[in-house]
Amino acid sequence: MAKHEYFQGIKRVTYEGPRSDNPLAFRYYNANQRVGKKTMKEHLRFAIAYWHTFTGMGADPFGAPTKKFPWLQGADALDRGFRKMDAAFEFMTKIGAPYYCFHDFDLVEEGDSWKESERRLQKMVDHARSWQRQTEVKLLWGTANLFAHPRYMNGAATNPDFRVVACAGWQVKNALDATIALGGAGYTFWGGREGYLSLLNTDMKREQEHLARFLGMARDYGRANGFKGSFYIEPKPMEPSKHQYDFDAATCLSFLREFDLLDDFKLNIEVNHATLAQHTFQHELQVAANAGKLGSIDANRGDYQNGWDTDQFPNNVYELTEAMLVILGAGGFKTGGINFDAKTRRNSTDLTDIFYAHIGGMDAFARALLAAHAILEDGELKDFVRQRYSSFDKGAGKQFASGKLTLSDLSRIAGVFPEPEQISGRQEYIENLISRYV
Ligand code: XUL
Ligand code: CO
């Protein structure tokens, strides 16, 4: 532990069970409790997002920062970086999160020269390595912030100016080096400004080709330098660009397929990005899972009444249960996990609020895991779906599914039967089945 304690008066958060009324205890997340073949900790692989939790100070388009994080008060950038990291590892240890995620310049502010930025990053990586050794906290994934600096206003890898693309390359190389040095299990690309505002000044085809070229270069560099983890693309339909090239899971998969990147890239699916794309989170997870590309998730929730990325902490156990059904159905996380890409509200200004937020999110996921596991064990849901498609398991249905029939065959077979009788989809019955476990 560092000499200074930032979260004073808060001890390690422990599991006290559903009857506990201690707001600083888990009521459902019991790290070592077995659920099927794995413990909760192994299933959920929680990660803390460095940007929201230790760097985001509550500024919004209408107002100044509200959060007076003590670790950000120093005069010197490196000093602030070190103190932020000490606070981060104190928090992650106390909440019992096994992982964290960062952008390069969450760790420390960018300097005023390439050299100075690299020097700062190197210092932070050394400090993180020493903290990782002293604690059990590991890096789930690293990434580069290719959207905040004004140079990226027209995009990073898709910028029409090659010099900006080169800057993005410099940043990704350093961020990959940091991720590799810290044993990161993954590396994420969220295309912050990889998209466009107006088609009138944009060569979309060319920009997408550049993006693919850039991702391929990052992949080659990572692999050549010992990175064995997963590369993730994180879909998001809009904001900050009007049109983002990585709109949703299906768009990303088709892009990866077109440019022959599928072997090395999986998807990192974020709840609020799914809903901005007019999908449910479950839908996006299933699209990724169907392609064998469900890598990791960014957990949060949007707001039902507005249309932007509010990044609130997840608390809807029913929806999370549906999500966990897909995740468990796909075999669970391998290199990925549940990264809380979520922030406390602007007026939640106490340091304790950070604990309440994460405890709530972790408990909600633990309940969803328990419910989803029990639903799968019970088997009725799976049987119901299997039964629904059983006409393809035998006879002509099976021949159709295995490609042995022609359209003329279908037409002939249709003529043999009377009008098919109605078969209910029984959605409400199935929804009630989920409710029994939530
Ligand atoms: C932005 C977002 C990012 C990525 C990492 O909406 O989700 O924080 O997760 O760059
Ligand atoms: Co995210």
Side-chain angles (χ1 to χ4, degrees):
M1 278 283 153
K3 274 171 253 122
H4 184 78
E5 189 178 13
Y6 289 97
F7 301 95
Q8 280 172 22
I10 300 181
K11 297 198 206 56
R12 176 145 186 162
V13 179
T14 57
Y15 170 74
E16 292 186 6
R19 284 170 203 278
S20 171
D21 58 5
N22 175 2
L24 287 170
F26 294 119
R27 295 168 65 239
Y28 296 92
Y29 180 62
N30 186 7
N32 296 319
Q33 182 181 327
R34 291 195 87 77
V35 182
K37 292 201 176 77
K38 294 194 265 184
T39 62
M40 281 198 181
K41 185 176 168 186
E42 289 162 343
H43 271 292
L44 299 168
R45 295 167 61 88
F46 286 127
I48 307 300
Y50 219 87
W51 50 103
H52 285 312
T53 304
F54 311 111
T55 310
M57 294 165 74
D60 74 8
F62 300 94
T66 52
K67 307 195 186 195
K68 299 180 182 70
F69 292 151
W71 51 88
L72 295 183
Q73 303 303 322
D76 169 70
L78 257 181
D79 181 48
R80 284 193 293 275
F82 285 131
R83 297 207 287 147
K84 187 183 349 180
M85 189 167 282
D86 296 341
F89 276 86
E90 183 191 329
F91 175 78
M92 297 188 292
T93 308
K94 286 183 168 174
I95 198 88
Y99 294 98
Y100 68 112
C101 298
F102 63 74
H103 298 87
D104 45 0
F105 297 121
D106 299 333
L107 297 181
V108 65
E109 294 138 61
E110 200 166 344
D112 49 17
S113 70
W114 310 116
K115 233 176 128 192
E116 173 58 12
S117 297
E118 281 181 18
R119 187 183 77 87
R120 289 183 187 178
L121 267 179
Q122 191 52 55
K123 293 252 182 232
M124 297 317 306
V125 168
D126 292 343
H127 200 52
R129 198 193 282 110
S130 125
W131 266 121
Q132 287 184 198
R133 276 201 202 111
Q134 292 169 62
T135 60
E136 287 177 4
V137 181
K138 298 190 189 71
L139 180 62
L140 189 69
W141 50 258
T143 186
N145 180 330
L146 301 177
F147 43 91
H149 195 286
R151 75 170 79 93
Y152 298 122
M153 68 177 188
N154 291 310
T158 61
N159 199 293
D161 179 353
F162 171 66
R163 292 167 309 173
V164 180
V165 178
C167 295
W170 167 78
Q171 245 187 278
V172 169
K173 179 189 171 294
N174 286 327
L176 265 168
D177 286 342
T179 302
I180 294 167
L182 294 171
Y187 185 89
T188 294
F189 289 90
W190 166 58
R193 293 184 194 273
E194 311 296 23
Y196 66 89
L197 297 170
S198 168
L199 196 51
L200 296 173
N201 60 8
T202 302
D203 185 336
M204 199 204 302
K205 187 170 191 305
R206 215 164 169 187
E207 291 200 359
Q208 290 191 315
E209 285 164 1
H210 293 169
L211 179 58
R213 183 75 67 208
F214 188 90
L215 293 174
M217 288 164 79
R219 184 256 334 261
D220 292 345
Y221 179 82
R223 294 300 182 225
N225 286 278
F227 179 63
K228 297 203 170 57
S230 305
F231 289 100
Y232 306 119
I233 303 271
E234 183 179 319
K236 184 175 184 182
M238 64 197 79
E239 196 201 18
S241 300
K242 159 114 176 100
H243 299 274
Q244 295 279 146
Y245 293 137
D246 41 14
F247 188 95
D248 63 0
T251 310
C252 288
L253 287 169
S254 133
F255 172 86
L256 292 172
R257 210 169 275 127
E258 177 177 354
F259 292 102
D260 202 17
L261 292 164
L262 263 185
D263 284 349
D264 294 270
F265 286 81
K266 294 185 178 141
L267 301 184
N268 179 39
I269 304 292
E270 177 162 331
V271 185
N272 207 165
H273 297 180
T275 52
L276 284 176
Q278 305 287 312
H279 298 305
T280 61
F281 179 44
Q282 303 84 285
H283 169 88
E284 288 291 86
L285 292 172
Q286 190 66 59
V287 171
N290 291 348
K293 296 292 163 192
L294 176 50
S296 202
I297 68 168
D298 271 13
N300 53 30
R301 76 179 204 271
D303 182 296
Y304 290 125
Q305 284 79 43
N306 68 22
W308 65 90
D309 201 9
T310 61
D311 286 346
Q312 288 165 255
F313 274 82
N315 63 2
N316 187 325
V317 179
Y318 194 103
E319 283 181 7
L320 293 178
T321 301
E322 288 194 36
M324 285 310 301
L325 280 171
V326 182
I327 292 165
L328 293 180
F333 297 117
K334 306 276 175 338
T335 52
I338 299 173
N339 169 45
F340 285 109
D341 194 355
K343 57 188 176 211
T344 54
R345 297 302 85 191
R346 184 168 184 263
N347 58 350
S348 296
T349 46
D350 292 343
L351 292 187
T352 329
D353 292 321
I354 305 176
F355 278 87
Y356 298 144
H358 286 87
I359 289 170
M362 289 162 84
D363 264 348
F365 265 99
R367 288 179 77 173
L369 168 65
L370 289 166
H373 176 73
I375 291 164
L376 292 175
E377 287 286 285
D378 166 86
E380 187 178 342
L381 179 67
K382 250 188 164 170
D383 286 347
F384 179 84
V385 178
R386 199 180 300 123
Q387 181 57 32
R388 229 178 148 211
Y389 295 87
S390 58
S391 61
F392 295 93
D393 295 339
K394 52 184 186 309
K398 192 169 179 183
Q399 287 182 307
F400 163 82
S402 50
K404 298 206 174 85
L405 297 186
T406 63
L407 191 64
S408 305
D409 291 332
L410 286 188
S411 163
R412 182 180 43 77
I413 293 165
V416 173
F417 301 113
E419 176 69 26
E421 71 275 20
Q422 280 185 337
I423 305 175
S424 172
R426 289 165 78 188
Q427 182 172 328
E428 297 76 12
Y429 174 90
I430 290 296
E431 285 170 350
N432 294 354
L433 184 110
I434 306 295
S435 295
R436 290 217 302 267
Y437 291 91
V438 169

